[in-house]
Amino acid sequence: MPMAWAEAGNHILLLEGSPYPNHFMRGDARWGPSLHGQLRRVHPRLHVGAMPPAFPRMLKGGLMGNALRALHRPLDRRRIRRYLRVLGWEPEIVVLMQEPVRYDLLELFPDALRVYYCNDLYGYGHGTANEFREEAECCRRVDVVFTTSDILRRRLLPHNAKTFHIPHAVDLAWWESNRNRHPAEMERIRRPRALFTGALTARIDFALLEEVAGACPHWQFVLIGPYNLAEKEARRLGALGNCHLFGAKPHEEIPGYLALADVLLFPYAGKATAQHCGLPLKFYEYAISGQPILSTDFAQLELPNPDLVHVARSPQQWVDFLTHFERHREQQAVLTRQRRELAERNTYQARIEQQRGILSHLDRASR
């Protein structure tokens, strides 16, 4: 979304999340820029600033968490002020992405429009009572709340009447410009191919994938994305003859992999907090390819037609779907068209116009 706003003509400063000590132990590349306060330009109108390293447990609330946050707050504020001074900017709109416990940073910008952007509960944590209280306080302190699922909208609406559902989206130019790349490593893998793109973390149901891959040895399972957060599990899966770990790829290469897949996967483990997230970030990137989507029941997917994603709850149900797909590929033709049409109606350009309309009608005098 920040890149889409920049491409629409706005000047954006995106502040990266602070790395924690455990990130340092894993060799996270953010640590150097975080310590030195690196500000880099990634687009003519988009700058990215690294934030100071975080203290453990500072966002968990309680006496200790609040004390650590109070110690960290001056570091954040100095870093933000320095970046704005270098850029010569005075922000007109400030967006707090997903971490409502950091609403104190909004105090830096009393004259700006303040937005809380709630995308899901994976990044938020486990939804403790204290976190929900702070999220409610955050909603009360901002001018408008955007949520990426209607479930979240309904949950946050009591705390702010100006709460709107703004789903994820897809960049059509990204797809059209890159779908014919056809990566050689993907073409070398025999069909049928099942593909997942995204970070391989504890969110992934590795046991499910392992069982399905074992039951369908002629299917090739391709996993694209970093796996340093679940390296042991990912490498055990990669040791299977029909599973392929390709690691992280540049975003512009992903359409080529999607175009060469037969089925796209959402192999997420089911967790209570995930049920709020609605359609995941990559749904529309999958949908624009038209390919069948096979998913666990990790979330309450908000779709006009539930058949656009096949939800299977057990490994055997996954196996049954893959077997049925091979025998009846022609049955996917109508759904393929519907997925593409849905994605074409849900672009970042459409989202920006929707957000722009909401922000332009906010009554500044009521703040």
Side-chain angles (χ1 to χ4, degrees):
M1 188 61 75
M3 179 64 77
W5 271 94
E7 290 179 343
N10 304 278
H11 290 279
I12 307 295
L13 170 60
L14 175 64
L15 301 175
E16 291 182 315
S18 296
Y20 284 82
N22 61 323
H23 295 137
F24 175 75
M25 298 300 292
R26 293 196 299 263
D28 194 308
R30 289 181 298 165
W31 263 85
S34 175
L35 287 170
H36 298 104
Q38 183 187 77
L39 179 65
R40 63 188 190 277
R41 189 180 188 184
V42 299
H43 179 274
R45 290 181 296 275
L46 174 60
H47 290 77
V48 177
M51 295 300 286
F55 300 139
R57 299 189 59 79
M58 62 177 278
L59 298 184
K60 292 299 181 182
L63 184 61
M64 177 62 74
N66 290 337
L68 291 171
R69 199 188 313 169
L71 290 172
H72 197 269
R73 186 178 297 125
L75 303 177
D76 281 338
R77 295 189 174 203
R78 280 199 294 270
R79 185 70 60 86
I80 294 171
R81 287 192 180 105
R82 178 164 70 83
Y83 288 153
L84 292 175
R85 188 167 58 250
V86 170
L87 295 171
W89 292 359
E90 186 65 37
E92 297 176 351
I93 300 174
V94 178
V95 181
L96 184 60
M97 301 283 291
Q98 190 53 35
E99 289 191 345
V101 295
R102 304 310 309 275
Y103 64 77
D104 57 277
L105 294 177
L106 298 173
E107 299 170 4
L108 289 171
F109 313 101
D111 298 323
L113 281 173
R114 290 162 293 185
V115 180
Y116 170 44
Y117 187 93
C118 182
N119 58 345
D120 62 47
L121 290 180
Y122 273 145
Y124 184 15
H126 300 290
T128 66
N130 184 69
E131 287 172 326
F132 285 127
R133 281 194 298 270
E134 293 203 297
E135 183 173 58
E137 181 61 25
C138 173
C139 291
R140 287 190 285 267
R141 295 195 181 206
V142 299
D143 300 295
V144 64
V145 177
F146 293 146
T147 70
T148 55
S149 79
D150 195 56
I151 300 169
L152 288 171
R153 184 194 65 82
R154 294 195 303 270
R155 183 169 69 80
L156 300 182
L157 186 61
H159 310 306
N160 190 317
K162 297 184 178 71
T163 298
F164 302 91
H165 175 205
I166 309 285
H168 294 301
V170 67
D171 182 352
L172 285 184
W174 165 82
W175 168 253
E176 293 296 340
S177 300
N178 298 294
R179 62 176 177 167
N180 293 319
R181 282 177 172 246
H182 292 184
E185 63 181 353
M186 188 70 165
E187 289 188 314
R188 284 195 293 268
I189 295 174
R190 67 178 182 274
R191 306 187 94 135
R193 309 171 184 132
L195 174 70
F196 169 76
T197 66
L200 298 172
T201 67
R203 299 185 303 175
I204 302 300
D205 192 337
F206 288 99
L208 167 76
L209 287 175
E210 192 170 350
E211 187 170 344
V212 174
C216 301
H218 62 294
W219 273 85
Q220 303 302 306
F221 295 82
V222 180
L223 309 174
I224 295 177
Y227 49 86
N228 57 311
L229 296 181
E231 186 168 359
K232 181 180 177 181
E233 296 85 349
R235 289 198 179 281
R236 186 175 65 244
L237 189 63
L240 301 176
N242 60 335
C243 292
H244 312 270
L245 300 178
F246 285 166
K249 299 294 180 182
H251 191 54
E252 62 270 18
E253 293 183 11
I254 299 300
Y257 288 93
L258 296 175
L260 292 177
D262 296 293
V263 172
L264 304 174
L265 306 177
F266 285 144
Y268 293 116
K271 295 182 179 179
T273 53
Q275 290 297 316
H276 296 81
C277 74
L279 292 171
L281 177 62
K282 66 174 66 65
F283 168 76
Y284 289 109
E285 294 182 357
Y286 276 14
I288 193 63
S289 74
Q291 312 290 30
I293 302 172
L294 175 59
S295 175
T296 62
D297 59 345
F298 73 100
Q300 298 179 40
L301 303 178
E302 299 170 336
L303 287 166
N305 178 2
D307 292 336
L308 296 181
V309 175
H310 184 83
V311 177
R313 292 166 176 79
S314 69
Q316 185 57 52
Q317 289 176 330
W318 274 48
V319 172
D320 292 343
F321 173 82
L322 295 176
T323 302
H324 181 83
F325 167 77
E326 282 189 274
R327 295 172 180 170
H328 305 283
R329 288 176 182 244
E330 73 285 352
Q331 294 181 1
Q332 288 290 326
V334 173
L335 293 176
T336 292
R337 186 185 72 251
Q338 290 179 354
R339 290 187 197 97
R340 288 175 175 158
E341 290 174 349
L342 179 63
E344 288 168 356
R345 294 195 301 270
N346 289 271
T347 66
Y348 279 113
Q349 291 71 25
R351 295 289 182 264
I352 288 173
E353 288 307 310
Q354 186 179 2
Q355 292 172 341
R356 206 176 253 149
I358 292 169
L359 294 174
S360 67
H361 287 89
L362 285 177
D363 183 7
R364 290 172 179 259
S366 67
R367 291 189 285 137

PDB file of all heavy atoms in Angstrom, residues 61-75:
ATOM      1  N   GLY A  61       2.734  -4.770  27.208  1.00  0.00           N
ATOM      2  CA  GLY A  61       1.928  -4.128  28.228  1.00  0.00           C
ATOM      3  C   GLY A  61       2.342  -4.536  29.631  1.00  0.00           C
ATOM      4  O   GLY A  61       3.382  -5.170  29.841  1.00  0.00           O
ATOM      5  N   GLY A  62       1.520  -4.170  30.614  1.00  0.00           N
ATOM      6  CA  GLY A  62       1.861  -4.469  32.000  1.00  0.00           C
ATOM      7  C   GLY A  62       2.916  -3.515  32.514  1.00  0.00           C
ATOM      8  O   GLY A  62       3.427  -2.650  31.791  1.00  0.00           O
ATOM      9  N   LEU A  63       3.279  -3.671  33.763  1.00  0.00           N
ATOM     10  CA  LEU A  63       4.234  -2.764  34.389  1.00  0.00           C
ATOM     11  C   LEU A  63       5.577  -2.765  33.671  1.00  0.00           C
ATOM     12  O   LEU A  63       6.127  -1.717  33.338  1.00  0.00           O
ATOM     13  CB  LEU A  63       4.413  -3.144  35.869  1.00  0.00           C
ATOM     14  CG  LEU A  63       5.311  -2.223  36.697  1.00  0.00           C
ATOM     15  CD1 LEU A  63       4.722  -0.802  36.720  1.00  0.00           C
ATOM     16  CD2 LEU A  63       5.461  -2.762  38.117  1.00  0.00           C
ATOM     17  N   MET A  64       6.115  -3.961  33.422  1.00  0.00           N
ATOM     18  CA  MET A  64       7.421  -4.060  32.764  1.00  0.00           C
ATOM     19  C   MET A  64       7.357  -3.558  31.324  1.00  0.00           C
ATOM     20  O   MET A  64       8.208  -2.780  30.884  1.00  0.00           O
ATOM     21  CB  MET A  64       7.908  -5.506  32.792  1.00  0.00           C
ATOM     22  CG  MET A  64       9.239  -5.725  32.067  1.00  0.00           C
ATOM     23  SD  MET A  64      10.604  -4.793  32.809  1.00  0.00           S
ATOM     24  CE  MET A  64      10.845  -5.780  34.294  1.00  0.00           C
ATOM     25  N   GLY A  65       6.334  -3.991  30.582  1.00  0.00           N
ATOM     26  CA  GLY A  65       6.226  -3.572  29.187  1.00  0.00           C
ATOM     27  C   GLY A  65       6.075  -2.077  29.049  1.00  0.00           C
ATOM     28  O   GLY A  65       6.696  -1.450  28.181  1.00  0.00           O
ATOM     29  N   ASN A  66       5.262  -1.464  29.885  1.00  0.00           N
ATOM     30  CA  ASN A  66       5.060  -0.019  29.825  1.00  0.00           C
ATOM     31  C   ASN A  66       6.333   0.741  30.185  1.00  0.00           C
ATOM     32  O   ASN A  66       6.636   1.785  29.601  1.00  0.00           O
ATOM     33  CB  ASN A  66       3.915   0.392  30.755  1.00  0.00           C
ATOM     34  CG  ASN A  66       2.564  -0.076  30.239  1.00  0.00           C
ATOM     35  OD1 ASN A  66       2.399  -0.325  29.047  1.00  0.00           O
ATOM     36  ND2 ASN A  66       1.604  -0.232  31.138  1.00  0.00           N
ATOM     37  N   ALA A  67       7.080   0.218  31.157  1.00  0.00           N
ATOM     38  CA  ALA A  67       8.334   0.868  31.545  1.00  0.00           C
ATOM     39  C   ALA A  67       9.342   0.810  30.403  1.00  0.00           C
ATOM     40  O   ALA A  67      10.028   1.798  30.103  1.00  0.00           O
ATOM     41  CB  ALA A  67       8.896   0.207  32.803  1.00  0.00           C
ATOM     42  N   LEU A  68       9.453  -0.341  29.743  1.00  0.00           N
ATOM     43  CA  LEU A  68      10.387  -0.487  28.625  1.00  0.00           C
ATOM     44  C   LEU A  68       9.971   0.402  27.456  1.00  0.00           C
ATOM     45  O   LEU A  68      10.805   0.996  26.773  1.00  0.00           O
ATOM     46  CB  LEU A  68      10.450  -1.949  28.181  1.00  0.00           C
ATOM     47  CG  LEU A  68      11.107  -2.914  29.175  1.00  0.00           C
ATOM     48  CD1 LEU A  68      10.915  -4.352  28.715  1.00  0.00           C
ATOM     49  CD2 LEU A  68      12.597  -2.606  29.318  1.00  0.00           C
ATOM     50  N   ARG A  69       8.669   0.491  27.232  1.00  0.00           N
ATOM     51  CA  ARG A  69       8.194   1.346  26.152  1.00  0.00           C
ATOM     52  C   ARG A  69       8.506   2.807  26.438  1.00  0.00           C
ATOM     53  O   ARG A  69       8.867   3.572  25.535  1.00  0.00           O
ATOM     54  CB  ARG A  69       6.693   1.159  25.966  1.00  0.00           C
ATOM     55  CG  ARG A  69       6.186   1.641  24.613  1.00  0.00           C
ATOM     56  CD  ARG A  69       4.681   1.621  24.541  1.00  0.00           C
ATOM     57  NE  ARG A  69       4.127   0.377  25.021  1.00  0.00           N
ATOM     58  CZ  ARG A  69       2.829   0.208  25.249  1.00  0.00           C
ATOM     59  NH1 ARG A  69       1.988   1.200  25.055  1.00  0.00           N
ATOM     60  NH2 ARG A  69       2.377  -0.954  25.687  1.00  0.00           N
ATOM     61  N   ALA A  70       8.371   3.210  27.699  1.00  0.00           N
ATOM     62  CA  ALA A  70       8.684   4.592  28.076  1.00  0.00           C
ATOM     63  C   ALA A  70      10.154   4.897  27.842  1.00  0.00           C
ATOM     64  O   ALA A  70      10.514   6.008  27.429  1.00  0.00           O
ATOM     65  CB  ALA A  70       8.310   4.829  29.536  1.00  0.00           C
ATOM     66  N   LEU A  71      11.022   3.921  28.085  1.00  0.00           N
ATOM     67  CA  LEU A  71      12.451   4.116  27.834  1.00  0.00           C
ATOM     68  C   LEU A  71      12.758   4.196  26.337  1.00  0.00           C
ATOM     69  O   LEU A  71      13.666   4.911  25.914  1.00  0.00           O
ATOM     70  CB  LEU A  71      13.253   2.962  28.451  1.00  0.00           C
ATOM     71  CG  LEU A  71      13.316   2.915  29.979  1.00  0.00           C
ATOM     72  CD1 LEU A  71      13.983   1.620  30.433  1.00  0.00           C
ATOM     73  CD2 LEU A  71      14.084   4.121  30.519  1.00  0.00           C
ATOM     74  N   HIS A  72      11.993   3.460  25.562  1.00  0.00           N
ATOM     75  CA  HIS A  72      12.247   3.397  24.126  1.00  0.00           C
ATOM     76  C   HIS A  72      11.654   4.590  23.383  1.00  0.00           C
ATOM     77  O   HIS A  72      12.158   4.975  22.315  1.00  0.00           O
ATOM     78  CB  HIS A  72      11.662   2.098  23.568  1.00  0.00           C
ATOM     79  CG  HIS A  72      12.182   1.711  22.227  1.00  0.00           C
ATOM     80  ND1 HIS A  72      11.582   2.100  21.055  1.00  0.00           N
ATOM     81  CD2 HIS A  72      13.267   0.968  21.859  1.00  0.00           C
ATOM     82  CE1 HIS A  72      12.250   1.609  20.027  1.00  0.00           C
ATOM     83  NE2 HIS A  72      13.274   0.923  20.483  1.00  0.00           N
ATOM     84  N   ARG A  73      10.600   5.179  23.930  1.00  0.00           N
ATOM     85  CA  ARG A  73       9.867   6.242  23.233  1.00  0.00           C
ATOM     86  C   ARG A  73      10.762   7.398  22.783  1.00  0.00           C
ATOM     87  O   ARG A  73      10.658   7.846  21.627  1.00  0.00           O
ATOM     88  CB  ARG A  73       8.733   6.744  24.126  1.00  0.00           C
ATOM     89  CG  ARG A  73       7.812   7.744  23.432  1.00  0.00           C
ATOM     90  CD  ARG A  73       6.683   8.166  24.357  1.00  0.00           C
ATOM     91  NE  ARG A  73       5.826   7.036  24.706  1.00  0.00           N
ATOM     92  CZ  ARG A  73       5.531   6.655  25.944  1.00  0.00           C
ATOM     93  NH1 ARG A  73       6.049   7.307  26.970  1.00  0.00           N
ATOM     94  NH2 ARG A  73       4.738   5.633  26.163  1.00  0.00           N
ATOM     95  N   PRO A  74      11.660   7.926  23.626  1.00  0.00           N
ATOM     96  CA  PRO A  74      12.517   9.041  23.162  1.00  0.00           C
ATOM     97  C   PRO A  74      13.415   8.658  21.991  1.00  0.00           C
ATOM     98  O   PRO A  74      13.711   9.499  21.131  1.00  0.00           O
ATOM     99  CB  PRO A  74      13.350   9.383  24.402  1.00  0.00           C
ATOM    100  CG  PRO A  74      12.552   8.864  25.552  1.00  0.00           C
ATOM    101  CD  PRO A  74      11.880   7.635  25.047  1.00  0.00           C
ATOM    102  N   LEU A  75      13.855   7.381  21.934  1.00  0.00           N
ATOM    103  CA  LEU A  75      14.680   6.935  20.810  1.00  0.00           C
ATOM    104  C   LEU A  75      13.893   6.995  19.508  1.00  0.00           C
ATOM    105  O   LEU A  75      14.390   7.465  18.476  1.00  0.00           O
ATOM    106  CB  LEU A  75      15.179   5.508  21.060  1.00  0.00           C
ATOM    107  CG  LEU A  75      15.969   5.258  22.339  1.00  0.00           C
ATOM    108  CD1 LEU A  75      16.329   3.777  22.450  1.00  0.00           C
ATOM    109  CD2 LEU A  75      17.232   6.117  22.371  1.00  0.00           C
TER     110      LEU A  75
END
